[in-house]
Amino acid sequence: APMVGSSPELVQKLRSQVEVRTDFITEAEEAAFLRELDPGLKKKRYEFDHWDDAIHGYRETERLRWGAACEEILNRVRSTAFPECSQLLGPVHVIDLDKTGYIKPHIDSVKFCGSTIAGLSLLSDSIMRLVKEDTPSEWLDLLLSRRSLYILRDQARYKFTHEILKNEESVFNGQRVPRQRRISVICRNLPG
Ligand code: AKG
């Protein structure tokens, strides 16, 4: 998988809890999401000025009902990422990051979200960085290529912050990864 970390031991330890599936969706499937999401997103303005927000330069939405094409893709995401018995959060979360936008390090609310986060990345490559909460020298970088699916589970979700790097810092293993506008489509389960 496209990941580099602070040590081989850490990469090994997180291997079962962090997945990136390259080319999880096709160009046609990416276009289907765009057709469904872009009209609504375009009506909103990117938010830049909330200094206390975890996200900078974004607009977002939630969607419960999807057209057939997107629903089929989301079912593939769900069956890949979650156990069959898992109770899922109904609405799917959509974050549209401006080219200059980024997501600061945070851990998703344990009150509202369960053990697994699964996200599709549309329109741009990006870097997701995980950092151990009480040991910042332990980190893992994931290359989230355009149209990939990432899955964070268990410790990777509870004990590590995650963030999406801003364009100026978007380097993977020494290689520049230019950030464009990026839309993520995120499925979560409910706390057990
Ligand atoms: C979150 O929703 O907690 C995220 O950090 C989303 C990351 C992404 O945009 O894929």
Side-chain angles (χ1 to χ4, degrees), residues 95 103 106 108 128 150 162 182 184 186 188:
I95 301 175
I103 304 183
H106 67 282
D108 287 15
M128 176 177 276
Y150 70 83
H162 58 273
R182 170 182 183 269
S184 49
I186 304 148
R188 296 191 173 84

Side-chain angles (χ1 to χ4, degrees), residues 1-3 15-26 29 73 75-83 116-122 124-126 128 141-153 182 185:
M3 47 182 93
R15 200 173 288 284
S16 61
Q17 301 170 32
V18 177
E19 276 186 66
V20 181
R21 302 212 182 188
T22 307
D23 290 318
F24 189 80
I25 61 171
T26 64
E29 290 172 330
I73 304 161
N75 283 336
R76 215 163 78 223
V77 171
R78 292 174 182 124
S79 63
T80 303
F82 302 94
T116 304
I117 305 166
L120 290 170
S121 298
L122 315 180
S124 179
D125 297 342
S126 62
M128 176 177 276
D141 279 356
L142 312 177
L143 175 60
L144 303 183
S145 53
R146 180 175 181 179
R147 296 186 292 277
S148 66
L149 172 72
Y150 70 83
I151 305 168
L152 304 181
R153 295 190 176 93
R182 170 182 183 269
V185 176

Side-chain angles (χ1 to χ4, degrees), residues 47-76:
E47 316 245 356
F48 288 95
D49 31 17
H50 302 273
W51 60 271
D52 57 337
D53 272 3
I55 319 183
H56 183 89
Y58 74 106
R59 47 196 181 187
E60 66 184 335
T61 187
E62 284 189 335
R63 184 171 289 237
L64 188 58
R65 301 272 165 239
W66 296 82
C70 293
E71 187 61 28
E72 190 188 312
I73 304 161
L74 289 168
N75 283 336
R76 215 163 78 223

